[in-house]
Amino acid sequence: MTAQGVKVRIVDKNTGPGPTSRAMVVHARTLELYRQLDLATAMIAAGHRNPSVNLWAKGRIRAHIPFGPTGGELTPYPFVLVYPQDHHERLLTERLETMGVTVERQTELVDFEVAGGAVRARLRLPDGSEEVSAARYLAGCDGARSAVRHKLAIGFEGGTYNQTFYVADVEASGPTANGEAHISLESGDFVALLAYAKGRGRLIGLVRDERADAHKLTFEDVSHRAIEGLRLTIDKVNWFSTYRVHHRVADRFREGRAFLLGDAAHVHSPVGGQGMNTGIGDAINLAWKLAAVLRGRAPDGLLDSYERERTGFAHQLVETTDRLFTFVTAEGRFADFLRVEIAPVLAGVADRIGGIRAFLFRILSQTQLNYRGGPLSRGKAGRVDGGDRLPWVLVKGLDNYAPLAAITWQVHVYGAASGALKQWCAARGVPLHVFPWTEEHAAAGLAIDAAYLLRPDTYVAVAALEQAPDVFDAYLAEKGITLC
């Protein structure tokens, strides 16, 4: 929002980023959106690219799945970036400071009320004193135990899995300490290794036995069978932590002038590393809408679309990760047989079939996420519907994502633009980007000479097969949106 000219205040009751963060993965779609904020390059430089994932069972590799062959046709970022959440938060904090925003640490939201078209938040400052801060809107990004959600009495339906997970920051050696991602499946045990630097990584594993004292466990207390199956030697454990996994979605993501984002709105299993990325997606979805309303370019009703667009994905994500989590953690001989014998075979088959590999990459990378059928989505041109992520195409150095660096409404045409469309864009101050038609555009699902009106968050608002500016006018009038 700061990049869009909106003043914000960010408070955090903690002293800084948590040193034992579990979130490790930054997916391709997040990097695409970070490119708008000039963050992607710095994050990639600071993180570690995992070009592939390896599936192990019974002490030997059973499937090697590279991301590049498929992902390279879909996104500028055909890899999984491993970048621990605490490092991630520090980079974002530093970037905010360059923009004049300081995260106010050890500052706690005690209470708030909505009155007179504003939110009045009571804050406890580091010295113990209190002050009242007024704002137009409040965004609760305050985790699974969200004080904002509790204040609003919003339900958080779901449950807690019986199993306990552990995460360990380790220094390791051996053939699998090679910078790639590894998953080891053994009878009664499971572990994933995510490298984030040479010889350093995070182990994420399962504590099989239900124990009331799980929070007192050490690394030596948990099973090492799956770790040994990776032929990995643990030279040093820098820290170790256990945690329980929840699966919940808030009943509402908006209540008047207050919003819920990230873990305050939805929590789920860590399978696939989707949680942090989904929270970032929440923030980007809401930010441009708040900016439009606060700058007088859209009515307050536009903000209702945040909940409608994000709740469906949150429920879908919880259901998907729940099924995968159940598969990974199920106990018994038959469950072990499926994990250790059948799953590696299916993974190998999926890697050899391009269509399946592309489907799995889209799911993992969140590039398949769309808002089709949503309140801000209209039309269809080629295989692209209103609400879709704009397909990425790079042809002879011409990158159709380059113009998306501008956080603004814009129109894309692949082919030739009509005089009427040029006049419409010029009159409204809307950037028009025309790309010469190629076979690569057709392969990506775009339609020749169609007009795509893009939202500031790079999703397609309107896909018009005919270049009819009156279609755009009708859409904007219906939503009450002005572009300049």
Side-chain angles (χ1 to χ4, degrees):
M1 288 183 64
T2 301
Q4 298 173 72
V6 175
K7 185 178 180 180
V8 300
R9 184 176 184 183
I10 302 174
V11 301
D12 180 6
K13 69 178 182 180
N14 298 310
T15 58
T20 59
S21 59
R22 299 188 293 269
M24 294 286 293
V25 174
V26 183
H27 286 304
R29 185 55 180 154
T30 300
L31 290 171
E32 290 175 358
L33 295 168
Y34 272 177
R35 183 177 175 180
Q36 278 195 299
L37 301 171
D38 194 27
L39 277 168
T41 300
M43 189 160 289
I44 292 168
H48 178 77
R49 302 188 197 194
N50 272 253
S52 60
V53 61
N54 301 281
L55 186 62
W56 293 68
K58 294 185 176 180
R60 63 188 181 92
I61 192 167
R62 300 289 296 276
H64 173 77
I65 306 174
F67 300 121
T70 296
E73 299 176 357
L74 301 173
T75 175
Y77 311 107
F79 48 82
V80 169
L81 184 72
V82 177
Y83 191 50
Q85 182 178 340
D86 51 337
H87 298 194
H88 193 147
E89 286 186 34
R90 290 188 184 95
L91 177 62
L92 295 180
T93 299
E94 291 169 2
R95 182 57 57 89
L96 280 169
E97 288 176 350
T98 66
M99 302 170 72
V101 178
T102 299
V103 177
E104 301 174 47
R105 305 289 189 185
Q106 296 180 280
T107 302
E108 181 180 3
L109 174 69
V110 177
D111 197 5
F112 68 91
E113 62 179 11
V114 179
V119 178
R120 296 177 61 81
R122 184 157 59 91
L123 306 176
R124 182 174 294 121
L125 305 180
D127 63 2
S129 64
E130 294 187 354
E131 73 170 48
V132 175
S133 178
R136 290 277 299 278
Y137 295 97
L138 172 68
C141 314
D142 50 343
R145 298 179 180 178
S146 170
V148 174
R149 192 185 63 246
H150 284 291
K151 167 67 176 180
L152 298 172
I154 293 176
F156 202 37
E157 294 300 319
T160 304
Y161 296 108
N162 294 326
Q163 296 87 352
T164 299
F165 268 79
Y166 72 82
V167 58
D169 186 277
V170 300
E171 297 176 24
S173 55
T176 50
N178 61 354
E180 296 185 0
H182 298 272
I183 298 173
S184 177
L185 301 173
E186 296 291 338
S187 298
D189 201 12
F190 154 86
V191 75
L193 170 65
L194 296 174
Y196 67 89
K198 185 177 182 179
R200 290 197 64 172
R202 297 277 168 88
L203 290 173
I204 301 172
L206 185 65
V207 179
R208 279 289 178 186
D209 300 327
E210 293 185 34
R211 301 177 56 158
D213 65 342
H215 63 285
K216 297 181 181 179
L217 296 178
T218 66
F219 183 68
E220 288 70 28
D221 295 321
V222 301
S223 172
H224 288 200
R225 185 184 308 157
I227 298 173
E228 292 166 356
L230 288 176
R231 307 176 194 172
L232 191 69
T233 300
I234 306 301
D235 301 315
K236 183 180 179 182
V237 178
N238 295 309
W239 55 258
F240 173 87
S241 179
T242 60
Y243 62 99
R244 299 290 293 276
V245 175
H246 307 271
H247 50 109
R248 302 176 184 275
V249 178
D251 293 345
R252 303 184 305 281
F253 287 13
R254 180 187 188 187
E255 182 67 37
R257 293 185 173 274
F259 300 86
L260 300 177
L261 298 84
D263 286 357
H266 44 77
V267 292
H268 41 82
S269 91
V271 175
Q274 302 292 309
M276 179 175 63
N277 293 270
T278 304
I280 293 168
D282 291 344
I284 289 172
N285 182 288
L286 181 60
W288 75 266
K289 297 171 183 177
L290 280 170
V293 172
L294 290 168
R295 296 166 69 185
R297 295 182 178 179
D300 178 86
L302 175 69
L303 301 174
D304 291 334
S305 66
Y306 163 69
E307 177 178 310
R308 291 182 60 186
E309 290 186 336
R310 298 303 294 179
T311 51
F313 179 61
H315 282 287
Q316 175 189 337
L317 185 60
V318 167
E319 291 170 5
T320 301
T321 57
D322 183 65
R323 288 194 291 269
L324 290 171
F325 182 89
T326 301
F327 172 76
V328 169
T329 60
E331 299 182 11
R333 291 183 179 179
F334 183 65
D336 280 338
F337 174 74
L338 290 177
R339 275 194 305 271
V340 177
E341 302 293 345
I342 303 301
V345 173
L346 294 178
V349 171
D351 180 46
R352 291 190 295 272
I353 301 175
I356 297 176
R357 189 170 61 239
F359 172 77
L360 293 176
F361 180 83
R362 288 181 186 273
I363 295 293
L364 178 67
S365 64
Q366 294 195 357
T367 54
Q368 100 297 345
L369 171 61
N370 65 76
Y371 303 127
R372 289 185 182 182
L376 302 182
S377 306
R378 296 288 185 275
K380 181 181 180 70
R383 297 194 305 274
V384 178
D385 286 65
D388 281 355
R389 159 189 172 268
L390 179 72
W392 173 70
V393 183
L394 176 65
V395 182
K396 296 180 180 179
L398 190 60
D399 184 349
N400 73 324
Y401 268 30
L404 303 183
I407 306 176
T408 186
W409 292 85
Q410 56 187 271
V411 174
H412 282 210
V413 172
Y414 299 85
S418 67
L421 182 61
K422 292 178 181 178
Q423 291 176 6
W424 185 89
C425 290
R428 287 157 184 78
V430 177
L432 171 63
H433 300 282
V434 182
F435 299 85
W437 179 253
T438 68
E439 292 181 359
E440 287 84 355
H441 293 117
L446 296 159
I448 188 170
D449 294 342
Y452 298 94
L453 177 64
L454 304 182
R455 303 168 8 165
D457 61 354
T458 78
Y459 285 89
V460 178
V462 181
L465 196 56
E466 303 286 339
Q467 293 183 27
D470 59 315
V471 172
F472 294 164
D473 278 332
Y475 170 84
L476 296 169
E478 176 190 342
K479 304 304 174 188
I481 296 172
T482 56
L483 302 183
C484 59

